[in-house]
């Protein structure tokens, strides 16, 4: 099967070590017959810590997903917690997975209550909104999403590519331990990039607690692999009634052209 991981950013040169790390972290967990391609957006504000900026960026992610489907990919992965996978599912005919929904569904199989530790307060707002949208709020703790302090920036991300234990993990653990004290039995890493960095460095649980720390990107990709396998062997992709019923193709193309997208 051919899967496409769509990044929420352009290919930022300063983060080339991160892109290389994702390649070496994600590819080995997939099946030998799974072909994965990473794609970047041709246009992006490279900023999603704003509800409006996230909304703008989501349009370009869905456009990239449409291009990937047209290029023959069997499954599409939206590689950011700030995603628009329901909108993508409406217009695509192949399985669509996201970092957020798939990792949260996986957390339900590992504990009764989960929490998410993310990279900024604005990102926490978006993730908590997703929790309500997915109908999973009752399986999370009372304050389900916490941000590290100080919040992540380009410098911290770059440093963590080589050594996440130096600065990121202490900040992450401080928030995670509060979540555990509030009842969390599973912690998700609320970032598509830090998850692979922690997992590839052997950080799989909060020390001394028995609480798993989930690499949401790795889990999301494995779920997409399973979703695509189900589509290819059993014929199930999505409902085409109500929410995910495809819109009129001509009307959609007209709308996209009017916005300069097609």
């Amino acid at each position: 099967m051919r899967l496409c991981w769509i990044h929420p950013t352009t290919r930022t040169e300063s983060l080339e070590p991160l892109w290389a790390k994702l390649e070496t972290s994600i590819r080995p967990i997939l099946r030998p017959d799974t072909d994965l391609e990473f794609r970047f957006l041709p246009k992006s504000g490279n900023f999603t810590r704003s509800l409006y900026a996230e909304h703008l960026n989501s349009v370009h992610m869905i456009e990239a997903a449409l291009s990937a489907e047209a290029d023959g990919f069997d499954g599409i992965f939206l590689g950011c917690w700030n995603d628009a996978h329901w909108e993508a599912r409406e217009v695509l005919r192949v399985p669509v997975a996201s970092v957020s929904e798939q990792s949260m569904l996986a957390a339900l199989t590992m504990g009764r209550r989960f929490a998410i530790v993310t990279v900024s307060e604005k990102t926490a707002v978006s993730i908590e909104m997703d929790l309500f949208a997915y109908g999973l709020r009752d399986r999370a703790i009372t304050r389900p999403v916490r941000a590290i302090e100080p919040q992540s920036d380009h410098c911290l991300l770059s440093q963590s590519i080589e050594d996440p234990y130096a600065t990121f993990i202490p900040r992450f653990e401080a928030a995670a331990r509060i979540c555990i004290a509030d009842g969390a039995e599973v912690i998700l890493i609320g970032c598509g990039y830090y998850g692979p960095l922690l997992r590839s460095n052997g950080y799989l649980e909060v020390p001394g607690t028995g609480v798993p720390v989930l690499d949401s990107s790795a889990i999301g990709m494995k779920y997409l692999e399973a979703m695509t396998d189900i589509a290819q062997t059993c014929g199930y992709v999505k409902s085409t009634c109500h929410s995910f019923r495809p819109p009129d193709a001509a009307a959609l193309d007209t709308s996209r052209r009017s916005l300069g997208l097609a």
Side-chain angles (χ1 to χ4, degrees):
M1 68 178 68
R2 295 180 64 215
L3 305 181
C4 184
W5 172 314
I6 297 174
H7 286 285
T9 66
T10 56
R11 185 155 193 160
T12 310
E13 185 176 351
S14 62
L15 289 175
E16 284 298 329
L18 174 62
W19 314 138
K21 192 75 170 183
L22 289 175
E23 292 261 2
T24 59
S25 173
I26 297 298
R27 289 190 190 278
I29 69 172
L30 300 176
R31 294 180 348 199
D33 62 338
T34 296
D35 178 23
L36 172 64
E37 181 177 323
F38 291 92
R39 288 192 173 184
F40 295 82
L41 301 184
K43 291 183 180 180
S44 172
N46 294 335
F47 174 69
T48 56
R49 294 179 186 178
S50 152
L51 296 179
Y52 182 52
E54 177 185 343
H55 181 70
L56 292 173
N57 209 59
S58 292
V59 173
H60 293 286
M61 289 194 76
I62 295 172
E63 286 297 308
L66 286 166
S67 294
E69 182 185 48
D71 289 341
F73 284 94
D74 302 306
I76 308 296
F77 184 69
L78 303 181
C80 184
W81 276 78
N82 302 107
D83 61 47
H85 70 283
W86 282 6
E87 292 85 347
R89 283 182 186 150
E90 180 198 47
V91 296
L92 268 64
R93 299 179 299 277
V94 297
V96 178
S98 70
V99 179
S100 57
E101 185 190 49
Q102 272 53 64
S103 63
M104 283 194 260
L105 292 175
L108 303 184
T109 70
M110 301 183 196
R112 289 187 63 248
R113 294 280 183 268
F114 67 88
I116 302 144
V117 175
T118 190
V119 294
S120 74
E121 287 292 345
K122 273 290 190 176
T123 308
V125 171
S126 294
I127 293 174
E128 188 154 0
M129 289 171 63
D130 288 342
L131 266 172
F132 280 99
Y134 303 158
L136 300 177
R137 182 62 188 79
D138 289 344
R139 290 293 299 274
I141 62 174
T142 301
R143 279 188 56 216
V145 191
R146 316 291 172 96
I148 63 169
E149 296 180 357
Q151 70 178 17
S152 173
D153 56 18
H154 187 278
C155 181
L156 179 61
L157 181 57
S158 297
Q159 179 196 67
S160 300
I161 296 168
E162 295 300 323
D163 184 12
Y165 287 91
T167 305
F168 179 77
I169 286 178
R171 293 185 194 179
F172 177 86
E173 275 193 10
R177 290 186 184 277
I178 295 172
C179 293
I180 294 167
D182 289 345
E185 299 167 341
V186 180
I187 303 290
L188 292 85
I189 303 171
C191 173
Y193 297 150
Y194 280 108
L197 296 181
L198 267 61
R199 180 180 54 81
S200 62
N201 279 274
Y203 190 86
L204 302 179
E205 71 171 49
V206 179
T209 66
V211 173
V213 173
L214 304 189
D215 172 358
S216 303
S217 294
I219 288 174
M221 278 303 306
K222 291 300 291 182
Y223 264 60
L224 175 60
E225 200 174 47
M227 291 163 66
T228 307
D229 194 35
I230 289 169
Q232 293 181 338
T233 60
C234 304
Y236 301 119
V237 176
K238 66 171 186 177
S239 170
T240 55
C241 179
H242 301 314
S243 301
F244 296 151
R245 183 178 64 218
D248 179 78
L252 182 62
D253 286 345
T254 298
S255 178
R256 292 172 64 229
R257 281 195 297 271
S258 72
L259 296 171
L261 297 172

